[in-house]
Amino acid sequence: MVEMSKHMRDSLQNVPSQKIFDFSQFTSTIDDIIQLTIGEPDFNTPEHIKQAGIQAIENNHTHYAPQRGTTGLLKAVSGYLKDTTGVDYDPQTQILVTNGVTEGAFAALNAIVNPGDVVLVPTPTFSIYTADVAIAGGTPVEVDTSPANFRLTPEILKPYLAKYGDRVKAVVVVNPSNPTGVAMNQAELDAIADLVRGKNIFILADEIYSELWYDGQAASITKSLPEQTILVNGLSKSYAMTGWRVGYLAAPKDVVANIFKVHAFAVTDVSTFVQDAAKEALTNGCEDYRPMEEAYIKRRDVMKSALSKMGWQCTAPQGAFYIFARIPDFLDQDDEQLAYDMAKKAKVAATPGSYFGKCGEHYIRFSYATALDKIQEAMTRLAKYCADQRK
C-alpha cells in the first residue's frame, strides 16, 4: 500500500504541533474543572450588535458579500482606524475584511513569505505565527524577549537583524501581548519602527487586544510606520464576538492587493450579516468594551494578588486578559507536566508557558477571562495544591 502522507507538502513537516488545543481537550474531560486556559471573553456579544445581525438576516443579507468586504464595514473600519491610530486608510483599496485575525495573519504571511525567508517572531507569543511562516515555506525565528521583561526592544532585535540580514522578511509585533499581557507604549513602538524603517522588512502588527488596554493611551506601530506595516485586528476580544469570525487587515494599497489574492481563494468572503453586525459594533459600540475592561481589571488584581501570595512571580498585565507567572521553586519546573498535574489534582486548568515559545518554559499562563467567583475558587484550589506540594 502506498503511504500517500509521505508525498504531501514538505513544509508541513516544520509546522509545530498544536499542544495548546490538545491540552484544552484533555482538561475538558475533567469534571468540575475551572478553565483558566482559553482566551475567550465570558461576556455575551452586546445586544445592539446581535440585533444588527438578526436584522440583516431578516432583510436577506445572506448572499455572497463583496470579497474585500461590504462597503459599510470597510468605511466603518477606516473611520475606526482614523480615530484610534490617526492613519487614513482608503476603505476600498487599503482595507480587507477577514475571517478573524487568524485568517488575516495567514493570508498576509502567505502573501509575503518566499521559501527561505526569515520571519522574526518575538516570544512568548501565540503559536499561529510560527505555524503560518512554516506553512508558507519560510523560517520562523523566535526572538527571546524575556531579558527585557517580555518587551521587544531595539537591543534585543538588532542581533537577529544582523544575523539574518537580507533574509529577514518580517517582524511580528503583537501588542498588547498574549500570553504576557505586556503593552508596549508608543515610544517603544517608535523605536522598533526606526530600526526597520527603509529596509525591505514588513511589520505584521497584531492588535486584537488594542481595546483592552488598562494603563495609559493605546499605542500602535501603524502610527510610526504605516508604509511597512500590515495591521491585523478584529472584534473577537473587545466586543465578545469570537464566534462571529470577523476581522480586518489594513496595509498599503499594493500590499493589500496581493494579500487579497490569498484571501479570495481561501475563504471567498465573510458572511454578509456578520459584516453588518461588525459595522454596528464599530459605528455605535465604541463604549461597549468598558464594562468588560472594568471587570478584567478587578479579576486581574484578584488573581495576581492570590498567585503572588502562593509564591508565583507574575507579570503586571497592562492589556489583554492573561497573567504569565513564573513557577515557584517548590513546584515541578516542567511547565507542561505541572499544568497536567494541576488539572488532575487541583482541577484548575492553566496553559503551559512553553506552548508560547521556548522562552516560556517554567511559566504558566492564567487567563482571567472568566467570572470572578470562578477565579476566586480556582485560586483557593491552587493555594491548597501549592501547600500540599510544599510538604
Side-chain angles (χ1 to χ4, degrees), residues 20 50 73 118 147 152 165 176 182 200 212 218 248 271 287 307 309 311 355 367:
I20 191 169
K50 291 191 291 185
L73 180 53
V118 166
L152 182 62
V182 165
N200 296 323
L212 300 178
Y248 53 87
S271 301
E287 297 295 315
L307 288 171
K309 288 177 182 177
Y355 291 0
S367 170

Side-chain angles (χ1 to χ4, degrees), residues 147-308:
N149 296 317
F150 304 118
R151 310 182 87 84
L152 182 62
T153 66
E155 291 71 27
I156 284 177
L157 193 56
K158 282 177 182 177
Y160 292 89
L161 294 174
K163 179 177 180 179
Y164 294 101
D166 292 341
R167 290 182 62 198
V168 177
K169 178 58 69 72
V171 178
V172 175
V173 176
V174 184
N175 196 46
S177 165
N178 171 14
T180 66
V182 165
M184 296 171 63
N185 61 39
Q186 195 60 50
E188 291 173 309
L189 294 173
D190 289 347
I192 298 300
D194 289 342
L195 194 59
V196 301
R197 191 183 310 279
K199 298 181 172 66
N200 296 323
I201 297 174
F202 290 95
I203 295 291
L204 179 62
D206 178 346
E207 298 184 359
I208 188 63
Y209 295 101
S210 59
E211 293 288 9
L212 300 178
W213 193 292
Y214 308 136
D215 303 311
Q217 185 177 2
S220 175
I221 201 166
T222 59
K223 296 179 181 180
S224 31
L225 197 66
E227 67 274 17
Q228 289 174 233
T229 298
I230 301 171
L231 170 68
V232 290
N233 204 337
L235 290 81
S236 290
K237 313 299 184 179
S238 51
Y239 293 94
M241 294 179 69
T242 52
W244 296 76
R245 305 312 306 140
V246 58
Y248 53 87
L249 178 152
K253 175 181 176 180
D254 293 343
V255 174
V256 171
N258 279 292
I259 296 173
F260 173 69
K261 297 175 184 177
V262 180
H263 164 82
F265 288 105
V267 299
T268 303
D269 62 4
V270 175
S271 301
T272 310
F273 58 89
V274 168
Q275 295 194 56
D276 287 354
K279 173 192 171 186
E280 170 66 18
L282 292 178
T283 304
N284 298 313
C286 61
E287 297 295 315
D288 285 348
Y289 71 93
R290 294 199 181 277
M292 304 182 209
E293 182 181 63
E294 291 173 4
Y296 290 141
I297 292 172
K298 185 173 183 179
R299 296 171 185 180
R300 174 197 65 181
D301 293 345
V302 168
M303 179 181 283
K304 185 174 183 295
S305 176
L307 288 171
S308 298

